[in-house]
Amino acid sequence: MGYLETYTKWVKQLEEGNPLKKELIAIKDDAREIEERFYQELSFGTAGLRGKVGAGTNRMNIYTVGKATQGIANYIKTYGQEAMKRGVVIAHDPRHFSREFCELTAGILAANQIRAYTFMSLRPTPQLAYMVTRLHCIAGINITASHNPKEYNGYKVYWEDGCQVSSKIADAMTSCINEVDLFEDVLNYDYEKGVQEGKIKVLGAEYDDEYLKKVEAQAIHEGEELDLTIPLVYTPLNGCGAIPFRRMLEERGFTNYKIVPEQEQPDPDFTTVGYPNPEDPKAFALSETYAKEFGAELIMATDPDADRFAIEIRDHNGNYVPLNGNQTGYLLVNYILEGHKSAGTLPQKGAMVKSIVTSTLSTRIANAYGVEMFETLTGFKNICGRIPRLHEEGYTYLFGYEESVGYAACEEIRDKDGISAGMLIAEAAAYYRKQNKTLWDVLMEIYETYGYFAEDEPNIVLDGIAGAKRIQRMMSWFRSHTPKTVANIRVKDVIDYADGYEDLEPHNAIRVFLEDGSWFAIRPSGTEPKIKFYFYATADSKEAALQENKMIKNEIFELIQAVE
């Protein structure tokens, strides 16, 4: 069925007065908009669903969410009654329709005789991930678009191990979803009636307490080792983070912190933020104003579902400097290992995990402490999914992270966690302050000890059908025209992950290593319409590393952008 036929079917099927029908009628003369909404079904991958909210098969709405949920219910039923009784825990973020999609999901599961758990209100993604294993559920679902713009929403799925679903399970779920007719096959059950009849259980505050205990158990130093009067500023960017982050700071004893008031309460329009991604320094604009007034040494931010975490630190000139995900990772890797070594708790076979596009400087740090750094494909389904294998091989998991400001400190929370990352970085700042040092001092010491790295992670956004096709052409062209030298430095090695590499599954990514230790990688985003680049240059000084990084980036961008 072509996209115009699908559009016509939707218009006929939707009842009069349905807002989605009105939305579709309003675009009846806009062929391009109709095609964008109906040229494909919103794809269900290892990140679940993610897309703009609106009418259409390529949009997030009650029909596409309903179809996905019914398909997942059908998949769970293949595991039998025990899996159905174990049930599914569902959470949501503050975005438009998140609560409605959450209740719809719970109702569909209940109608399929699958136990459903929900929360009293919005909760962080890492808490949802923890609750999957805590409640012994067969699966978990979080209604969230993470850090995407306000127009988006999403549907993230976890399996019984507390990790986001693997490619194998995602493919099996996709097959079940594809068999569902979104207008005829979806069962449903009234949410409130489901709660009253006990088919849907709303989790109480005691489960919030359990999650925070797991977070706070990751502490490296406590009490007199810390200067708990350190001035801190935190922003949840109008998401889920305010309540758990505040509780964590208070329970750890921090006495001198400020939460940005305009960004403390949930706001689906992110009015004072715009693009709610803490990776983007512009998200810190309002925080910096308060930090200057408050004299803060550290500014912290979590994204709307509180799984990503980013910081700005004060340099020697008093300026607030945004750190990228790699740099925050250096601080955390160094702090955790330094703390374990000083306490005599560094395991004989310690292990950390990072993604293939994350800086190798952290590998140097880990190796200096006798800890092995393992590499996985991007995403915490891979990073945290490596934990069981590490245990089988006799390793002790210490930390996992990737450059896109995601950090996993607690092995029982099988996803990136902005609350535990915030606790550790605030603790590290308080620990070093007691020693008359700042996080800036420590970062400079890391570079001096392990080598100067310059990191840059630009991307090219290419929306729509034409954009997706151009990204494919860019990747194909680079594979067949990989340069022999870059910035006058010889290429030492090229790894193409398209057919898999060592024990890693196939992945659309290319990594190029240069003779001087610098390297870069290219891959399309799995959740956003962009092609992503990762440049890491190393040299004898920070200035030289920055210059080399710029030269490498300019040369590669010139090649890639010439591909039409």
Side-chain angles (χ1 to χ4, degrees), residues 207-426:
Y207 294 98
D208 300 332
D209 299 340
E210 287 193 32
Y211 163 68
L212 282 170
K213 284 180 182 177
K214 289 295 179 186
V215 168
E216 292 164 15
Q218 307 312 307
I220 303 293
H221 296 285
E222 296 185 87
E224 293 184 358
E225 297 176 297
L226 309 176
D227 182 349
L228 294 168
T229 66
I230 184 172
L232 309 170
V233 165
Y234 164 68
T235 173
L237 298 180
N238 298 117
C240 298
I243 292 174
F245 210 98
R246 181 190 291 276
R247 274 194 61 186
M248 174 273 292
L249 289 174
E250 291 181 353
E251 290 174 10
R252 286 302 313 277
F254 289 94
T255 60
N256 194 18
Y257 67 88
K258 186 176 188 64
I259 298 179
V260 176
E262 294 92 338
Q263 297 173 349
E264 183 171 3
Q265 298 303 315
D267 173 12
D269 291 316
F270 309 109
T271 309
T272 65
V273 184
Y275 178 38
N277 184 356
E279 282 185 278
D280 186 345
K282 290 192 290 292
F284 283 84
L286 193 55
S287 303
E288 285 187 12
T289 300
Y290 283 102
K292 290 170 184 175
E293 295 173 359
F294 195 58
E297 190 169 304
L298 168 67
I299 310 174
M300 300 173 284
T302 51
D303 70 343
D305 65 326
D307 61 349
R308 293 173 184 244
F309 171 79
I311 64 174
E312 289 193 353
I313 61 177
R314 203 162 54 185
D315 67 12
H316 292 156
N317 298 317
N319 299 314
Y320 290 103
V321 179
L323 298 195
N324 60 48
N326 285 292
Q327 292 170 314
T328 303
Y330 304 154
L331 290 171
L332 287 168
V333 167
N334 184 73
Y335 178 68
I336 291 167
L337 295 177
E338 183 182 74
H340 277 297
K341 184 173 182 179
S342 65
T345 55
L346 200 61
Q348 283 191 338
K349 286 188 71 175
M352 291 185 164
V353 187
K354 73 174 189 68
S355 74
I356 58 171
V357 295
T358 299
S359 173
T360 46
L361 176 54
S362 57
T363 304
R364 296 183 185 181
I365 301 171
N367 293 166
Y369 284 91
V371 169
E372 188 160 352
M373 181 68 78
F374 291 86
E375 288 192 340
T376 70
L377 298 179
T378 57
F380 278 77
K381 70 184 179 70
N382 296 308
I383 292 171
C384 293
R386 189 64 183 261
I387 293 173
R389 275 184 56 195
L390 293 176
H391 288 168
E392 291 171 6
E393 296 165 359
Y395 287 95
T396 299
Y397 174 83
L398 295 170
F399 187 64
Y401 86 107
E402 64 180 8
E403 43 64 48
S404 56
V405 297
Y407 312 95
C410 176
E411 66 176 61
E412 293 174 83
I413 301 171
R414 298 285 175 90
D415 205 349
K416 53 186 175 288
D417 183 0
I419 311 300
S420 61
M423 186 198 74
L424 284 169
I425 208 74

Side-chain angles (χ1 to χ4, degrees), residues 90 94 117 246 287 346 428 439 450 475 482 484 488 490:
I90 310 144
Y117 299 90
R246 181 190 291 276
S287 303
L346 200 61
L439 290 176
Y450 300 103
M475 293 298 295
T482 306
K484 302 298 183 184
N488 296 317
R490 287 186 62 184

Side-chain angles (χ1 to χ4, degrees), residues 177-196:
I177 292 168
N178 289 341
E179 294 173 359
V180 174
D181 184 295
L182 49 73
F183 288 116
E184 297 178 5
D185 297 338
V186 179
L187 303 176
N188 202 356
Y189 202 87
D190 180 75
Y191 177 79
E192 294 300 334
K193 186 179 179 182
V195 172
Q196 291 170 7

Side-chain angles (χ1 to χ4, degrees), residues 161-178:
D161 58 357
C163 291
Q164 293 177 47
V165 290
S166 66
S167 300
K168 181 179 179 181
I169 292 173
D171 289 344
M173 287 181 172
T174 299
S175 296
C176 291
I177 292 168
N178 289 341

